[in-house]
Amino acid sequence: MVEILEARVLNPQITLLKLKAERIAKKVQPGQFVILHQDEKAERIPLTIADSDPQEGTITVIVQAAGESTKRLCALKTGDSIRDVVGPLGQATDFEGAQNICVIGGGVGCAIAYPSAKACHQRGAHVDLIAGFKNESLVILKEEMAAIADEFTLISDDGSTGKQGFVTDALKEKLEQGKKYYLRTYGCQANERDSETLAGILEEMNFTAVEHPEDADLILMNTCAIRKNAEDKVLGEIGSLKRLKRKKPDLLFGLCGCMAQEEDVVAKLLETYRHVNLIFGTHNIHRLPELLYDVMVNGNRSVEVLSKEGDVIENLPVRRFGKHKAWVNIMYGCDKFCTYCIVPYTRGKERSRMMEDILEEVRILKAEGFREITLLGQNVNSYGKDLHMEGGFAGLLEETAKIGIERIRFTTSHPWDFTDEMIDVIARYENIMPFIHLP
């Protein structure tokens, strides 16, 4: 059993738990994940470490009351105990080597990034923190964040500053008003869903979508690298559209997605396609505002491709391209490393979203009138394995079906991880379509 040395309630939704965990405290750092086992029956709960003290043998974790399990954790008192804590499971936020840091997110999201941002501040990096909130009490560690940030901005969600402060009015002004963007998507459903996020971010920045590249101020290509033919098609299109730059010198070209994760492609773009201003990969879509700022305001050619898999970033703006059918990401990356497949190299290792975040997205889609969803992942059958989650994809599929949306599909489904429990769930619920897509 693990003793709770202190339960610090910051507000009705946020609690900091200080735990006596000598074995874990020697191995973890702030910003990493650990798994809490509350009791024999409760699900395993991944939480982020706010602080650790190897000398004391203690760790402090952030608990947000988002579901039944975390609500039970928030109700614990000093002197109570939990069954076990294991970890670490990976780094929540990694800014190693960066000299200019900008963290944008909700109050809780900024708090999760705080330990790594503090380390950057201590080594002399410039740190900006922008925290959005619906209720100011949700912005935790407010004084601590203000102390380590060169610029610290709080933004209320009043409809005038973007979704929970994702893009500030000041940033919108610097990026100018009335710009138009043309977004072209190549490849799979995962790229389609990424493009919905890219469009959402751009429209938060007051960009307007256009149907023809000739009308755009920014041309952005979300690319596919599954076959050489797909890459050749993109490079041919970029070369063809170069003519527009002669007529409109301020026109910006951007390339993102799987092609950007390949070193030889990036080298070719930098050397041969000099009219491309912006290059970023699959792991840092959320960084688009900062990257565009660097291009449009500072006049730099911005290239940011991360070799390590990115974090699971929630609450990003989204513009759904359909009215009745919607894509819902449940995980990113793949651990299979099949001989013919490039996905593990362009999308990284498997990272699962939290189940409650997925279910909340489905509830919102149902409320907005969507009738069909497709649960997306490079291998949906292995959902939850990285979080040591009991029930895995079968459990998620059942909970999604209970929400009552009319049609549920999922793709892609690797035979290796297909379970009897999945078959039982598919048979039990009529709104789960009797269709299985295999790679």
PDB file of all heavy atoms in Angstrom, residues 219-246:
ATOM      1  N   ILE A 219      -0.535  28.291 -48.649  1.00  0.00           N
ATOM      2  CA  ILE A 219      -0.827  26.972 -49.220  1.00  0.00           C
ATOM      3  C   ILE A 219      -0.143  25.934 -48.334  1.00  0.00           C
ATOM      4  O   ILE A 219       1.077  25.951 -48.174  1.00  0.00           O
ATOM      5  CB  ILE A 219      -0.313  26.857 -50.669  1.00  0.00           C
ATOM      6  CG1 ILE A 219      -1.068  27.850 -51.568  1.00  0.00           C
ATOM      7  CG2 ILE A 219      -0.490  25.432 -51.183  1.00  0.00           C
ATOM      8  CD1 ILE A 219      -0.531  27.901 -52.991  1.00  0.00           C
ATOM      9  N   LEU A 220      -0.945  25.058 -47.737  1.00  0.00           N
ATOM     10  CA  LEU A 220      -0.419  24.065 -46.815  1.00  0.00           C
ATOM     11  C   LEU A 220      -0.768  22.671 -47.321  1.00  0.00           C
ATOM     12  O   LEU A 220      -1.933  22.377 -47.612  1.00  0.00           O
ATOM     13  CB  LEU A 220      -1.013  24.276 -45.422  1.00  0.00           C
ATOM     14  CG  LEU A 220      -0.501  23.367 -44.304  1.00  0.00           C
ATOM     15  CD1 LEU A 220       1.008  23.515 -44.117  1.00  0.00           C
ATOM     16  CD2 LEU A 220      -1.221  23.676 -42.992  1.00  0.00           C
ATOM     17  N   MET A 221       0.244  21.804 -47.434  1.00  0.00           N
ATOM     18  CA  MET A 221       0.037  20.443 -47.921  1.00  0.00           C
ATOM     19  C   MET A 221       0.316  19.452 -46.802  1.00  0.00           C
ATOM     20  O   MET A 221       1.433  19.401 -46.274  1.00  0.00           O
ATOM     21  CB  MET A 221       0.942  20.161 -49.113  1.00  0.00           C
ATOM     22  CG  MET A 221       0.596  21.018 -50.324  1.00  0.00           C
ATOM     23  SD  MET A 221       1.555  20.552 -51.763  1.00  0.00           S
ATOM     24  CE  MET A 221       0.764  21.583 -53.014  1.00  0.00           C
ATOM     25  N   ASN A 222      -0.703  18.678 -46.446  1.00  0.00           N
ATOM     26  CA  ASN A 222      -0.578  17.631 -45.433  1.00  0.00           C
ATOM     27  C   ASN A 222      -0.331  16.320 -46.171  1.00  0.00           C
ATOM     28  O   ASN A 222      -1.209  15.793 -46.840  1.00  0.00           O
ATOM     29  CB  ASN A 222      -1.853  17.565 -44.589  1.00  0.00           C
ATOM     30  CG  ASN A 222      -1.708  16.642 -43.409  1.00  0.00           C
ATOM     31  OD1 ASN A 222      -0.622  16.168 -43.091  1.00  0.00           O
ATOM     32  ND2 ASN A 222      -2.816  16.368 -42.732  1.00  0.00           N
ATOM     33  N   THR A 223       0.861  15.775 -46.031  1.00  0.00           N
ATOM     34  CA  THR A 223       1.365  14.790 -46.998  1.00  0.00           C
ATOM     35  C   THR A 223       1.383  13.358 -46.476  1.00  0.00           C
ATOM     36  O   THR A 223       1.309  13.091 -45.283  1.00  0.00           O
ATOM     37  CB  THR A 223       2.789  15.173 -47.428  1.00  0.00           C
ATOM     38  OG1 THR A 223       3.643  15.128 -46.273  1.00  0.00           O
ATOM     39  CG2 THR A 223       2.826  16.555 -48.033  1.00  0.00           C
ATOM     40  N   CYS A 224       1.549  12.437 -47.430  1.00  0.00           N
ATOM     41  CA  CYS A 224       1.587  10.993 -47.177  1.00  0.00           C
ATOM     42  C   CYS A 224       2.914  10.440 -47.693  1.00  0.00           C
ATOM     43  O   CYS A 224       3.413  10.877 -48.731  1.00  0.00           O
ATOM     44  CB  CYS A 224       0.413  10.316 -47.889  1.00  0.00           C
ATOM     45  SG  CYS A 224       0.463   8.508 -47.875  1.00  0.00           S
ATOM     46  N   ALA A 225       3.481   9.456 -46.951  1.00  0.00           N
ATOM     47  CA  ALA A 225       4.760   8.875 -47.361  1.00  0.00           C
ATOM     48  C   ALA A 225       4.684   7.361 -47.490  1.00  0.00           C
ATOM     49  O   ALA A 225       5.705   6.676 -47.460  1.00  0.00           O
ATOM     50  CB  ALA A 225       5.847   9.255 -46.350  1.00  0.00           C
ATOM     51  N   ILE A 226       3.478   6.835 -47.649  1.00  0.00           N
ATOM     52  CA  ILE A 226       3.322   5.383 -47.656  1.00  0.00           C
ATOM     53  C   ILE A 226       3.936   4.750 -48.902  1.00  0.00           C
ATOM     54  O   ILE A 226       4.398   3.616 -48.875  1.00  0.00           O
ATOM     55  CB  ILE A 226       1.827   4.998 -47.521  1.00  0.00           C
ATOM     56  CG1 ILE A 226       1.673   3.535 -47.102  1.00  0.00           C
ATOM     57  CG2 ILE A 226       1.069   5.293 -48.797  1.00  0.00           C
ATOM     58  CD1 ILE A 226       2.122   3.233 -45.708  1.00  0.00           C
ATOM     59  N   ARG A 227       3.962   5.505 -50.018  1.00  0.00           N
ATOM     60  CA  ARG A 227       4.572   5.004 -51.265  1.00  0.00           C
ATOM     61  C   ARG A 227       5.365   6.131 -51.927  1.00  0.00           C
ATOM     62  O   ARG A 227       5.065   7.306 -51.751  1.00  0.00           O
ATOM     63  CB  ARG A 227       3.501   4.494 -52.231  1.00  0.00           C
ATOM     64  CG  ARG A 227       2.751   3.263 -51.738  1.00  0.00           C
ATOM     65  CD  ARG A 227       1.761   2.773 -52.779  1.00  0.00           C
ATOM     66  NE  ARG A 227       1.020   1.607 -52.310  1.00  0.00           N
ATOM     67  CZ  ARG A 227      -0.107   1.668 -51.615  1.00  0.00           C
ATOM     68  NH1 ARG A 227      -0.621   2.846 -51.299  1.00  0.00           N
ATOM     69  NH2 ARG A 227      -0.719   0.561 -51.229  1.00  0.00           N
ATOM     70  N   LYS A 228       6.355   5.749 -52.702  1.00  0.00           N
ATOM     71  CA  LYS A 228       7.171   6.730 -53.421  1.00  0.00           C
ATOM     72  C   LYS A 228       6.312   7.537 -54.379  1.00  0.00           C
ATOM     73  O   LYS A 228       6.552   8.744 -54.575  1.00  0.00           O
ATOM     74  CB  LYS A 228       8.270   5.993 -54.194  1.00  0.00           C
ATOM     75  CG  LYS A 228       9.247   6.910 -54.933  1.00  0.00           C
ATOM     76  CD  LYS A 228      10.097   7.693 -53.944  1.00  0.00           C
ATOM     77  CE  LYS A 228      11.293   8.335 -54.626  1.00  0.00           C
ATOM     78  NZ  LYS A 228      10.955   9.294 -55.661  1.00  0.00           N
ATOM     79  N   ASN A 229       5.311   6.908 -54.972  1.00  0.00           N
ATOM     80  CA  ASN A 229       4.438   7.602 -55.904  1.00  0.00           C
ATOM     81  C   ASN A 229       3.713   8.763 -55.237  1.00  0.00           C
ATOM     82  O   ASN A 229       3.518   9.828 -55.836  1.00  0.00           O
ATOM     83  CB  ASN A 229       3.419   6.618 -56.497  1.00  0.00           C
ATOM     84  CG  ASN A 229       2.530   7.273 -57.526  1.00  0.00           C
ATOM     85  OD1 ASN A 229       3.021   7.857 -58.486  1.00  0.00           O
ATOM     86  ND2 ASN A 229       1.221   7.176 -57.335  1.00  0.00           N
ATOM     87  N   ALA A 230       3.310   8.559 -53.959  1.00  0.00           N
ATOM     88  CA  ALA A 230       2.625   9.624 -53.229  1.00  0.00           C
ATOM     89  C   ALA A 230       3.555  10.818 -53.008  1.00  0.00           C
ATOM     90  O   ALA A 230       3.142  11.982 -53.143  1.00  0.00           O
ATOM     91  CB  ALA A 230       2.123   9.088 -51.894  1.00  0.00           C
ATOM     92  N   GLU A 231       4.817  10.533 -52.690  1.00  0.00           N
ATOM     93  CA  GLU A 231       5.786  11.615 -52.496  1.00  0.00           C
ATOM     94  C   GLU A 231       6.033  12.365 -53.800  1.00  0.00           C
ATOM     95  O   GLU A 231       6.105  13.605 -53.818  1.00  0.00           O
ATOM     96  CB  GLU A 231       7.097  11.047 -51.956  1.00  0.00           C
ATOM     97  CG  GLU A 231       6.977  10.445 -50.577  1.00  0.00           C
ATOM     98  CD  GLU A 231       8.310   9.942 -50.054  1.00  0.00           C
ATOM     99  OE1 GLU A 231       9.339  10.167 -50.748  1.00  0.00           O
ATOM    100  OE2 GLU A 231       8.337   9.343 -48.962  1.00  0.00           O
ATOM    101  N   ASP A 232       6.191  11.644 -54.904  1.00  0.00           N
ATOM    102  CA  ASP A 232       6.434  12.279 -56.205  1.00  0.00           C
ATOM    103  C   ASP A 232       5.284  13.197 -56.595  1.00  0.00           C
ATOM    104  O   ASP A 232       5.489  14.275 -57.166  1.00  0.00           O
ATOM    105  CB  ASP A 232       6.633  11.214 -57.285  1.00  0.00           C
ATOM    106  CG  ASP A 232       7.929  10.434 -57.104  1.00  0.00           C
ATOM    107  OD1 ASP A 232       8.818  10.934 -56.372  1.00  0.00           O
ATOM    108  OD2 ASP A 232       8.046   9.329 -57.661  1.00  0.00           O
ATOM    109  N   LYS A 233       4.067  12.770 -56.265  1.00  0.00           N
ATOM    110  CA  LYS A 233       2.894  13.582 -56.593  1.00  0.00           C
ATOM    111  C   LYS A 233       2.926  14.915 -55.841  1.00  0.00           C
ATOM    112  O   LYS A 233       2.650  15.971 -56.402  1.00  0.00           O
ATOM    113  CB  LYS A 233       1.618  12.806 -56.245  1.00  0.00           C
ATOM    114  CG  LYS A 233       0.333  13.508 -56.656  1.00  0.00           C
ATOM    115  CD  LYS A 233      -0.900  12.732 -56.222  1.00  0.00           C
ATOM    116  CE  LYS A 233      -0.973  11.388 -56.926  1.00  0.00           C
ATOM    117  NZ  LYS A 233      -2.236  10.668 -56.578  1.00  0.00           N
ATOM    118  N   VAL A 234       3.298  14.872 -54.564  1.00  0.00           N
ATOM    119  CA  VAL A 234       3.365  16.094 -53.762  1.00  0.00           C
ATOM    120  C   VAL A 234       4.463  17.022 -54.278  1.00  0.00           C
ATOM    121  O   VAL A 234       4.246  18.230 -54.455  1.00  0.00           O
ATOM    122  CB  VAL A 234       3.621  15.748 -52.279  1.00  0.00           C
ATOM    123  CG1 VAL A 234       3.903  17.019 -51.468  1.00  0.00           C
ATOM    124  CG2 VAL A 234       2.418  15.022 -51.695  1.00  0.00           C
ATOM    125  N   LEU A 235       5.645  16.466 -54.533  1.00  0.00           N
ATOM    126  CA  LEU A 235       6.749  17.301 -55.013  1.00  0.00           C
ATOM    127  C   LEU A 235       6.426  17.912 -56.372  1.00  0.00           C
ATOM    128  O   LEU A 235       6.770  19.080 -56.644  1.00  0.00           O
ATOM    129  CB  LEU A 235       8.027  16.469 -55.091  1.00  0.00           C
ATOM    130  CG  LEU A 235       8.577  15.968 -53.751  1.00  0.00           C
ATOM    131  CD1 LEU A 235       9.779  15.059 -53.960  1.00  0.00           C
ATOM    132  CD2 LEU A 235       8.945  17.141 -52.843  1.00  0.00           C
ATOM    133  N   GLY A 236       5.737  17.155 -57.210  1.00  0.00           N
ATOM    134  CA  GLY A 236       5.313  17.712 -58.498  1.00  0.00           C
ATOM    135  C   GLY A 236       4.339  18.849 -58.327  1.00  0.00           C
ATOM    136  O   GLY A 236       4.421  19.866 -59.040  1.00  0.00           O
ATOM    137  N   GLU A 237       3.418  18.709 -57.380  1.00  0.00           N
ATOM    138  CA  GLU A 237       2.434  19.769 -57.120  1.00  0.00           C
ATOM    139  C   GLU A 237       3.107  21.023 -56.574  1.00  0.00           C
ATOM    140  O   GLU A 237       2.782  22.150 -56.964  1.00  0.00           O
ATOM    141  CB  GLU A 237       1.388  19.256 -56.129  1.00  0.00           C
ATOM    142  CG  GLU A 237       0.211  20.177 -55.911  1.00  0.00           C
ATOM    143  CD  GLU A 237      -0.745  20.217 -57.089  1.00  0.00           C
ATOM    144  OE1 GLU A 237      -0.539  19.454 -58.053  1.00  0.00           O
ATOM    145  OE2 GLU A 237      -1.682  21.020 -57.047  1.00  0.00           O
ATOM    146  N   ILE A 238       4.071  20.845 -55.666  1.00  0.00           N
ATOM    147  CA  ILE A 238       4.787  21.999 -55.110  1.00  0.00           C
ATOM    148  C   ILE A 238       5.532  22.740 -56.215  1.00  0.00           C
ATOM    149  O   ILE A 238       5.532  23.974 -56.273  1.00  0.00           O
ATOM    150  CB  ILE A 238       5.773  21.544 -54.014  1.00  0.00           C
ATOM    151  CG1 ILE A 238       5.006  21.021 -52.800  1.00  0.00           C
ATOM    152  CG2 ILE A 238       6.677  22.698 -53.584  1.00  0.00           C
ATOM    153  CD1 ILE A 238       5.905  20.430 -51.731  1.00  0.00           C
ATOM    154  N   GLY A 239       6.173  21.983 -57.102  1.00  0.00           N
ATOM    155  CA  GLY A 239       6.875  22.614 -58.218  1.00  0.00           C
ATOM    156  C   GLY A 239       5.927  23.339 -59.149  1.00  0.00           C
ATOM    157  O   GLY A 239       6.223  24.448 -59.626  1.00  0.00           O
ATOM    158  N   SER A 240       4.784  22.736 -59.409  1.00  0.00           N
ATOM    159  CA  SER A 240       3.801  23.353 -60.295  1.00  0.00           C
ATOM    160  C   SER A 240       3.247  24.655 -59.732  1.00  0.00           C
ATOM    161  O   SER A 240       3.028  25.626 -60.467  1.00  0.00           O
ATOM    162  CB  SER A 240       2.664  22.363 -60.560  1.00  0.00           C
ATOM    163  OG  SER A 240       1.627  22.967 -61.288  1.00  0.00           O
ATOM    164  N   LEU A 241       3.026  24.683 -58.411  1.00  0.00           N
ATOM    165  CA  LEU A 241       2.415  25.869 -57.783  1.00  0.00           C
ATOM    166  C   LEU A 241       3.417  27.001 -57.552  1.00  0.00           C
ATOM    167  O   LEU A 241       3.019  28.100 -57.159  1.00  0.00           O
ATOM    168  CB  LEU A 241       1.774  25.474 -56.453  1.00  0.00           C
ATOM    169  CG  LEU A 241       0.533  24.574 -56.552  1.00  0.00           C
ATOM    170  CD1 LEU A 241       0.095  24.127 -55.173  1.00  0.00           C
ATOM    171  CD2 LEU A 241      -0.604  25.300 -57.264  1.00  0.00           C
ATOM    172  N   LYS A 242       4.691  26.731 -57.823  1.00  0.00           N
ATOM    173  CA  LYS A 242       5.695  27.768 -57.621  1.00  0.00           C
ATOM    174  C   LYS A 242       5.403  29.009 -58.465  1.00  0.00           C
ATOM    175  O   LYS A 242       5.748  30.130 -58.087  1.00  0.00           O
ATOM    176  CB  LYS A 242       7.074  27.216 -57.967  1.00  0.00           C
ATOM    177  CG  LYS A 242       8.214  28.199 -57.744  1.00  0.00           C
ATOM    178  CD  LYS A 242       9.554  27.571 -58.094  1.00  0.00           C
ATOM    179  CE  LYS A 242      10.682  28.566 -57.892  1.00  0.00           C
ATOM    180  NZ  LYS A 242      12.008  27.961 -58.230  1.00  0.00           N
ATOM    181  N   ARG A 243       4.693  28.810 -59.580  1.00  0.00           N
ATOM    182  CA  ARG A 243       4.376  29.932 -60.468  1.00  0.00           C
ATOM    183  C   ARG A 243       3.568  31.007 -59.746  1.00  0.00           C
ATOM    184  O   ARG A 243       3.646  32.207 -60.085  1.00  0.00           O
ATOM    185  CB  ARG A 243       3.586  29.430 -61.680  1.00  0.00           C
ATOM    186  CG  ARG A 243       2.188  28.962 -61.342  1.00  0.00           C
ATOM    187  CD  ARG A 243       1.466  28.298 -62.507  1.00  0.00           C
ATOM    188  NE  ARG A 243       0.059  28.071 -62.221  1.00  0.00           N
ATOM    189  CZ  ARG A 243      -0.414  27.105 -61.461  1.00  0.00           C
ATOM    190  NH1 ARG A 243       0.428  26.232 -60.911  1.00  0.00           N
ATOM    191  NH2 ARG A 243      -1.715  26.988 -61.238  1.00  0.00           N
ATOM    192  N   LEU A 244       2.771  30.587 -58.753  1.00  0.00           N
ATOM    193  CA  LEU A 244       1.927  31.544 -58.028  1.00  0.00           C
ATOM    194  C   LEU A 244       2.763  32.516 -57.208  1.00  0.00           C
ATOM    195  O   LEU A 244       2.345  33.640 -56.944  1.00  0.00           O
ATOM    196  CB  LEU A 244       0.948  30.798 -57.120  1.00  0.00           C
ATOM    197  CG  LEU A 244      -0.006  29.820 -57.803  1.00  0.00           C
ATOM    198  CD1 LEU A 244      -0.882  29.121 -56.771  1.00  0.00           C
ATOM    199  CD2 LEU A 244      -0.872  30.557 -58.828  1.00  0.00           C
ATOM    200  N   LYS A 245       3.951  32.077 -56.799  1.00  0.00           N
ATOM    201  CA  LYS A 245       4.843  32.908 -55.993  1.00  0.00           C
ATOM    202  C   LYS A 245       5.338  34.115 -56.795  1.00  0.00           C
ATOM    203  O   LYS A 245       5.577  35.190 -56.225  1.00  0.00           O
ATOM    204  CB  LYS A 245       6.023  32.067 -55.517  1.00  0.00           C
ATOM    205  CG  LYS A 245       6.919  32.733 -54.500  1.00  0.00           C
ATOM    206  CD  LYS A 245       6.449  32.469 -53.092  1.00  0.00           C
ATOM    207  CE  LYS A 245       7.466  32.916 -52.060  1.00  0.00           C
ATOM    208  NZ  LYS A 245       7.019  32.695 -50.689  1.00  0.00           N
ATOM    209  N   ARG A 246       5.470  33.932 -58.104  1.00  0.00           N
ATOM    210  CA  ARG A 246       5.931  35.043 -58.935  1.00  0.00           C
ATOM    211  C   ARG A 246       4.890  36.152 -58.994  1.00  0.00           C
ATOM    212  O   ARG A 246       5.228  37.337 -59.017  1.00  0.00           O
ATOM    213  CB  ARG A 246       6.243  34.540 -60.351  1.00  0.00           C
ATOM    214  CG  ARG A 246       7.309  33.434 -60.389  1.00  0.00           C
ATOM    215  CD  ARG A 246       7.716  33.109 -61.819  1.00  0.00           C
ATOM    216  NE  ARG A 246       8.563  31.917 -61.887  1.00  0.00           N
ATOM    217  CZ  ARG A 246       8.136  30.730 -62.234  1.00  0.00           C
ATOM    218  NH1 ARG A 246       6.862  30.563 -62.598  1.00  0.00           N
ATOM    219  NH2 ARG A 246       8.957  29.694 -62.261  1.00  0.00           N
TER     220      ARG A 246
END
